[in-house]
Amino acid sequence: MFLKGSLKSLLPHVLRRIIRCNRLSISNTSGMAEGYKQANVVILPKSLADDFEKFCHANDGPLPLLYRSKPGDWKCPSLSSESDIRTDCLQYKMYEHGACTGSLESLKEYSEQLKDMVTFYLGCSFSFEKAIQNAGIPVRNVEQKCNVSMYKTAVPCYGVSTFCCNLVVTMRPIPERKLEATVLATSELKEAHGAPIHIGDPGLLGIQDLSKPDYGDPVHLHPGDIPVFWACGVTGVEAVINCRAPLAFTHSPGCMFITDLKNDNSIITSSREVPQVYCISQDPLHYSIVSTEAAQKIKTLETLIGIDPGDRGIIHLCRPDELLKASLSISHARSVLITTGFPTHFTYEPPEENDGPPGALAIAALLQALEKEVAMVTDQRAMSLNKKIIEEAVQLGILKKPIPLLSYQRENDDSALMFLCENGNPRRPRFDHLIAIERAGMAADGNYYNARKVNIKHLVDPIDELFLAARSIPGVTTTGVGDGGNELGMGKVKDAVKKHIKNGDVIACDVEADFTIVAGVSNWGGYAIACALYILNTCAIHDRYLRRAVGFPRLSKKMVWLSALPSVTKEENLLKALVRHGVRSGKTASLEMEVDGLPFYNTHSLMIENLL
């Protein structure tokens, strides 16, 4: 009998011969024939073959098609010499009408039935293990001498005819410091499932317990390891079960067909295509992936909006990469709640300034285009005004349709939780992300101040409580956008506000957001978020990660997204509408075409052009 340790360096044709003779005392092929491609196997009646091939192409992350045989052909000349699919896997599974009816070491006794069946060879993640090891990354299942862990998820594949199922994934524990190297090492190995489809908490995939894999063996995490998940070819097994074919065969999970093809040592030719990894949430732990090119574009946006036209010292409040991380988090969100409104002009009616609503609507427009749920929460006294502004935004073509407008009042200690979650249950949040843009923020003494240190608490509803409550709701993240430090969410930079901003010791907002975006004018921050979301969703690397490598790229919707971005004409018309409704410039209280005392033409219009 052969031991697994001696099989790493054997050539594939030798290994297949040994497997054919049933002389191996191992349960899986992980770590065998290092550097050579391994394949999942699905054998179906020829009447189902065309639909299954379409299913593979529609879900090429889990099902990268290496070869499709002709009916009754037991060989695969483009993958291997001297092979016989009836004998060259360690173990097979037989399925009849969707039920597994046996485990087999050979399919030879079914040779007659196989004459009318087609074999599909699908890429396998065992193929990239050597590439990971070459990058200095441990492969824990190989270290622990066990099969890789495989899990059914709650992620639906793109269905084709009778083939429909949820995605199956493999999990490999990776040291946190090695995450980016891991993504880089696997991203170009498309025939071995490519880059991971999820990094972080398994619950976000619908996996409840890592210690209980649906296939394979439990693989133990070392301290500092992060669960990293790849699309898995066992998805094909689930598809076979669900299609209920009268007879079908697959490899037994982990018992792959070993090909003669060496792994392509694919090298990313352009630094722009290099993937980068960012942590976007701690509870639950969640990382996202983006290309270097897209990340750099968003960092450029952050630099553009970070100028200080009012010379207020906001440069001291800026934190690098906050726009990028906030936008990544929003990109993953299903439902977003936006709040704005700063009643700085307390002697006027309405007291609102015109910085905030345009930026909020720019974000909402892009979220609508991305088909996300979006709502706005504002002060009860300002509901009528904001309803009119939203209606104007629809008429001007900024919004596709009106967005729900909500108000929040504190009635008891559970009010915020009841507002944010169904029946107050933290496991059922209504929103994934909260955004405050130029929204009056509560200071350390519980009051709300404008830049001149005037207390305007009597005009502000306690929407801050929603941001405070969000901290205790897993999966809900928050972003604050501001330009002076007294806005909701700026608590993250309150020490810098107190030190560098006029009246900062009094006006500094005490309430933190997970991400803090500082801009010369808050509207600019809203425009930048909209542009960043467009950049992310047109980034092929990020798009694949968002859709878990199932279905088709969404780039066909690029023109819809592009048309939803702010433009000089849209923002000019919106500002005119705000003026008609008596909404004034923040710094001067002027009812002119200006925001924060800066003229729209050649200042705000130029910023919009630069961002686009």
Side-chain angles (χ1 to χ4, degrees):
M1 300 293 281
F2 290 84
L3 298 176
K4 192 164 187 177
S6 64
L7 303 175
K8 290 182 179 181
S9 58
L10 287 183
L11 292 174
H13 74 276
V14 177
L15 276 169
R16 288 196 303 273
R17 194 176 304 144
I18 296 169
I19 291 170
R20 200 174 302 152
C21 296
N22 195 24
R23 296 178 61 195
L24 289 180
S25 59
I26 59 174
S27 60
N28 65 84
T29 56
S30 175
M32 295 172 60
E34 286 185 337
Y36 287 88
K37 291 179 181 177
Q38 299 193 29
N40 298 270
V41 175
V42 171
I43 306 175
L44 290 166
K46 62 183 180 182
S47 60
L48 296 174
D50 287 347
D51 282 340
F52 187 73
E53 182 173 352
K54 292 175 185 176
F55 182 69
C56 292
H57 290 315
N59 301 281
D60 62 359
L63 303 171
L65 183 57
L66 303 181
Y67 183 76
R68 170 185 168 170
S69 79
K70 294 178 181 178
D73 187 354
W74 303 324
K75 301 184 183 302
C76 49
S78 66
L79 301 183
S80 60
S81 62
E82 303 177 20
S83 65
D84 185 335
I85 195 56
R86 299 173 301 169
T87 57
D88 290 0
C89 291
L90 276 174
Q91 190 179 68
Y92 303 85
K93 295 288 186 182
M94 182 170 70
Y95 294 90
E96 296 176 276
H97 301 286
C100 182
T101 54
S103 295
L104 309 166
E105 292 182 351
S106 169
L107 300 182
K108 276 196 166 183
E109 63 180 291
Y110 296 94
S111 295
E112 192 61 33
Q113 293 91 326
L114 289 170
K115 289 178 181 179
D116 289 320
M117 303 183 82
V118 174
T119 302
F120 291 85
Y121 300 80
L122 307 164
C124 171
S125 62
F126 287 173
S127 304
F128 66 53
E129 289 178 339
K130 185 60 177 176
I132 290 179
Q133 290 172 324
N134 288 343
I137 301 158
V139 180
R140 300 295 188 209
N141 61 290
V142 174
E143 290 179 349
Q144 296 169 27
K145 296 180 173 59
C146 63
N147 200 351
V148 72
S149 301
M150 291 163 268
Y151 304 88
K152 300 176 186 179
T153 73
V155 178
C157 290
Y158 186 96
V160 174
S161 187
T162 58
F163 293 103
C164 59
C165 65
N166 285 355
L167 176 68
V168 176
V169 294
T170 57
M171 187 282 293
R172 289 170 174 81
I174 303 293
E176 185 174 22
R177 69 186 184 281
K178 299 282 190 178
L179 289 177
E180 206 157 86
T182 300
V183 175
L184 182 61
T186 58
S187 61
E188 289 301 295
L189 300 176
K190 303 283 195 285
E191 292 186 342
H193 305 302
I197 58 92
H198 178 63
I199 303 173
D201 193 301
L204 294 172
L205 294 176
I207 300 168
Q208 302 303 318
D209 189 347
L210 285 182
S211 70
K212 297 177 180 178
D214 295 291
Y215 300 98
D217 301 318
V219 179
H220 304 294
L221 279 73
H222 290 202
D225 281 354
I226 306 296
V228 179
F229 299 86
W230 280 266
C232 176
V234 176
T235 302
V237 175
E238 290 294 305
V240 166
I241 292 170
N242 286 352
C243 85
R244 300 181 180 277
L247 179 66
F249 301 97
T250 72
H251 69 293
S252 184
C255 301
M256 321 309 294
F257 176 83
I258 300 171
T259 78
D260 292 342
L261 302 182
K262 284 197 169 183
N263 273 316
D264 302 324
N265 292 318
S266 300
I267 298 173
I268 297 177
T269 56
S270 170
S271 60
R272 297 179 304 173
E273 299 170 359
V274 173
Q276 296 183 358
V277 178
Y278 291 88
C279 182
I280 58 172
S281 171
Q282 289 292 337
D283 184 19
L285 187 63
H286 192 191
Y287 294 80
S288 191
I289 299 176
V290 63
S291 72
T292 296
E293 181 181 28
Q296 187 54 55
K297 286 180 179 178
I298 295 172
K299 291 177 182 183
T300 299
L301 298 178
E302 189 172 59
T303 300
L304 285 172
I305 65 172
I307 62 172
D308 190 0
D311 198 25
R312 288 177 289 179
I314 66 164
I315 190 172
H316 301 289
L317 313 186
C318 295
R319 298 292 181 270
D321 296 340
E322 291 287 285
L323 174 62
L324 174 56
K325 288 184 281 189
S327 301
L328 283 167
S329 179
I330 297 166
S331 183
H332 283 272
R334 171 190 52 83
S335 179
V336 179
L337 180 67
I338 303 172
T339 185
T340 189
F342 207 122
T344 189
H345 302 305
F346 55 93
T347 61
Y348 291 93
E349 180 57 40
E352 271 69 29
E353 63 169 293
N354 57 16
D355 188 19
L361 291 171
I363 298 169
L366 213 289
L367 292 173
Q368 281 188 337
L370 292 171
E371 301 178 3
K372 297 182 185 292
E373 296 177 19
V374 56
M376 184 175 290
V377 59
T378 190
D379 302 296
Q380 180 64 44
R381 57 158 189 82
M383 289 286 283
S384 177
L385 172 65
N386 279 280
K387 183 179 179 183
K388 292 175 183 175
I389 294 171
I390 290 171
E391 289 171 352
E392 293 265 12
V394 174
Q395 293 172 11
L396 293 171
I398 295 171
L399 296 176
K400 289 193 301 184
K401 60 182 180 180
I403 58 176
L405 185 61
L406 313 171
S407 67
Y408 168 75
Q409 300 292 324
R410 177 185 173 85
E411 297 176 358
N412 53 54
D413 290 345
D414 294 328
S415 293
L417 202 60
M418 292 296 293
F419 183 94
L420 293 174
C421 304
E422 294 182 25
N423 300 317
N425 182 355
R427 295 184 179 180
R428 301 185 67 184
R430 292 189 175 95
F431 310 100
D432 307 306
H433 201 105
L434 278 55
I435 303 173
I437 174 168
E438 192 63 23
R439 170 72 193 176
M442 186 173 63
D445 63 3
N447 292 315
Y448 297 80
Y449 296 95
N450 65 14
R452 293 176 290 281
K453 209 165 57 174
V454 176
N455 185 2
I456 53 173
K457 183 176 182 178
H458 61 291
L459 296 171
V460 182
D461 289 346
I463 290 172
D464 305 65
E465 292 182 4
L466 303 180
F467 281 67
L468 292 169
R471 296 178 186 173
S472 63
I473 305 173
V476 179
T477 46
T478 58
T479 294
V481 183
D483 57 19
N486 56 343
E487 301 90 359
L488 176 55
M490 294 291 112
K492 192 172 182 178
V493 293
K494 63 185 177 184
D495 291 339
V497 173
K498 292 174 182 178
K499 183 176 180 181
H500 297 287
I501 302 297
K502 184 179 179 180
N503 299 324
D505 57 327
V506 174
I507 70 172
C509 177
D510 199 53
V511 181
E512 294 187 20
D514 294 307
F515 310 106
T516 300
I517 298 170
V518 178
V521 177
S522 292
N523 281 342
W524 299 352
Y527 303 152
I529 290 173
C531 292
L533 288 172
Y534 173 80
I535 291 168
L536 288 176
N537 283 272
T538 53
C539 166
I541 289 173
H542 184 67
D543 169 72
R544 181 184 185 275
Y545 190 75
L546 277 181
R547 59 186 171 85
R548 313 295 195 192
V550 297
F552 299 100
R554 301 178 303 150
L555 297 182
S556 60
K557 299 180 180 179
K558 181 177 179 179
M559 295 310 297
V560 175
W561 303 335
L562 187 64
S563 66
L565 287 172
S567 69
V568 172
T569 300
K570 287 180 189 176
E571 298 309 309
E572 178 185 23
N573 291 334
L574 180 58
L575 184 54
K576 288 178 179 177
L578 291 174
V579 169
R580 287 198 304 272
H581 289 296
V583 182
R584 300 169 182 270
S585 173
K587 189 173 183 179
T588 64
S590 168
L591 279 175
E592 302 293 334
M593 290 293 288
E594 65 173 54
V595 179
D596 274 355
L598 303 169
F600 178 80
Y601 305 106
N602 297 323
T603 300
H604 299 288
S605 61
L606 187 61
M607 177 58 71
I608 294 166
E609 290 174 351
N610 289 338
L611 290 172
L612 296 173

